[in-house]
Amino acid sequence: MLTAYRTSRDGTLGIRPSFEKNSWINMTAPSKEEINEVSLFYNIPIEFLEDPLDLEESARIEYDEDTNSTLIINDFPTMDVNNNQFDSYITIPIPIGIILGKDYIVTVCSQSNSPLENTIKKNVNTSMKNRFALEVLLSISTQYIDKLKLLNKQRLKIESHLRDSLTNKQLYDLMDIEKSLVYFLISLKANSDVITKLFRTHSIKLYEDDIDLLEDVRIEINQGIETTELYTRILDSITGSFSSLISNELNNTMKTLTIFTIFLTLPTLVFSFFGMNVTLPMGDKNPLAWIITLIIALILVIWIRLTLRRKKIF
């Protein structure tokens, strides 16, 4: 899908029926024909339009001298649609490309995304291409913070349930959060490298207000990285603590079963011994013989219990 926007003289951002100068072309999962059309009209390298559609593409910035165009690729957080039971955010496979030229700005993404929708709501001037790109980058970095807050709320909710009972579903949910945090950290660090390069690049002219906005983007990304690392450490601590708790409960269960087995085995040994054609105490025909047998078994049980208690096992 391809949509052209342009800011009118009264400052409002509106849709245009055709390509114009100083316009914004938003391409969402474009077809091959749309890519070729935009590439020919604005003289954009075809790979600049195709690379952001590659799900394995990493965040970077690239400049083409022949066409005087700059490509900025950033990763943005999006919900994993394959997980219906839990809000999981996958960032690496969803890059967004921003292409800046002399009299145009083009955004390319494999799916609809909220960073561009938020930029449209801000009514950004399409003739200020560099400011437009920075607004998109700021929207992306802000979304990371918002999504991290959602993940932390999910973690707190799961942690409260873990205190009552531990189930496999809760463990899988924690694994989803941990996986999402890993994706967040990788993508945020890659985006941070892009922002650092923007401060040094000469292909994009930045005014004083643009530099301030770019600094805001860097602050947001650094905050996202620090928050992600903090949440990752907290999650590692939680999983480690509950792993130790599960192991301790299992040890207690095995110890209890072992003690019961010992107590049940000793009388069985005594009764089995005298049941193998062995003469009972005080003679086989003495009515008190079976009582003495019980007393022998009871003495062994008491002796084992005192031994275990002395060793602080029971």
Side-chain angles (χ1 to χ4, degrees), residues 122-140:
K122 291 181 180 179
N123 205 27
V124 178
N125 194 332
T126 56
S127 62
M128 304 174 65
K129 299 177 292 299
N130 298 341
R131 174 66 62 86
F132 185 99
L134 295 179
E135 288 288 352
V136 175
L137 296 178
L138 180 61
S139 178
I140 292 174

Side-chain angles (χ1 to χ4, degrees), residues 262-263 266 299-314:
I262 293 174
F263 287 159
L266 289 176
I299 290 174
L300 289 175
V301 170
I302 294 175
W303 175 70
I304 290 295
R305 183 185 184 282
L306 293 176
T307 301
L308 295 176
R309 183 176 182 181
R310 186 169 58 253
K311 295 182 177 295
K312 298 182 180 180
I313 299 177
F314 179 74

Side-chain angles (χ1 to χ4, degrees), residues 98-112:
I98 306 172
I99 306 170
L100 300 174
K102 182 179 179 181
D103 51 8
Y104 66 86
I105 178 170
V106 178
T107 55
V108 187
C109 191
S110 59
Q111 68 177 48
S112 59

Side-chain angles (χ1 to χ4, degrees), residues 140-305:
I140 292 174
S141 59
T142 303
Q143 281 202 21
Y144 277 101
I145 303 298
D146 295 338
K147 298 300 187 293
L148 282 170
K149 292 179 180 179
L150 291 177
L151 285 177
N152 191 50
K153 288 182 179 179
Q154 291 288 350
R155 179 190 62 81
L156 293 174
K157 182 179 180 181
I158 296 172
E159 185 179 353
S160 64
H161 292 318
L162 283 175
R163 298 179 184 275
D164 300 328
S165 63
L166 183 63
T167 63
N168 289 336
K169 181 183 180 304
Q170 293 168 341
L171 294 178
Y172 285 131
D173 289 345
L174 288 177
M175 289 173 57
D176 284 336
I177 294 179
E178 186 175 12
K179 179 180 66 175
S180 299
L181 290 175
V182 171
Y183 285 136
F184 268 50
L185 189 58
I186 293 175
S187 297
L188 282 168
K189 287 185 176 181
N191 291 351
S192 178
D193 293 338
V194 172
I195 300 303
T196 302
K197 291 179 181 178
L198 283 176
F199 277 101
R200 301 194 303 261
T201 186
H202 299 288
S203 61
I204 300 178
K205 184 178 180 180
L206 299 176
Y207 297 96
E208 184 176 352
D209 292 340
D210 297 335
I211 294 177
D212 292 339
L213 183 57
L214 186 59
E215 184 66 30
D216 292 339
V217 176
R218 182 165 65 177
I219 292 174
E220 289 289 329
I221 291 180
N222 289 338
Q223 181 182 351
I225 293 175
E226 294 175 358
T227 303
T228 303
E229 291 176 342
L230 174 62
Y231 289 167
T232 301
R233 290 195 295 268
I234 292 175
L235 189 60
D236 290 340
S237 176
I238 291 175
T239 53
S241 299
F242 278 100
S243 176
S244 301
L245 180 60
I246 292 173
S247 178
N248 185 53
E249 290 180 352
L250 180 61
N251 290 337
N252 290 335
T253 301
M254 295 302 298
K255 183 174 70 173
T256 302
L257 293 176
T258 302
I259 292 174
F260 274 110
T261 301
I262 293 174
F263 287 159
L264 293 175
T265 300
L266 289 176
T268 302
L269 290 175
V270 174
F271 299 148
S272 299
F273 175 76
F274 287 110
M276 298 172 60
N277 297 324
V278 176
T279 303
L280 295 176
M282 300 180 65
D284 294 341
K285 297 182 180 181
N286 193 316
L288 298 178
W290 69 275
I291 296 178
I292 297 176
T293 304
L294 291 177
I295 293 174
I296 294 174
L298 183 61
I299 290 174
L300 289 175
V301 170
I302 294 175
W303 175 70
I304 290 295
R305 183 185 184 282

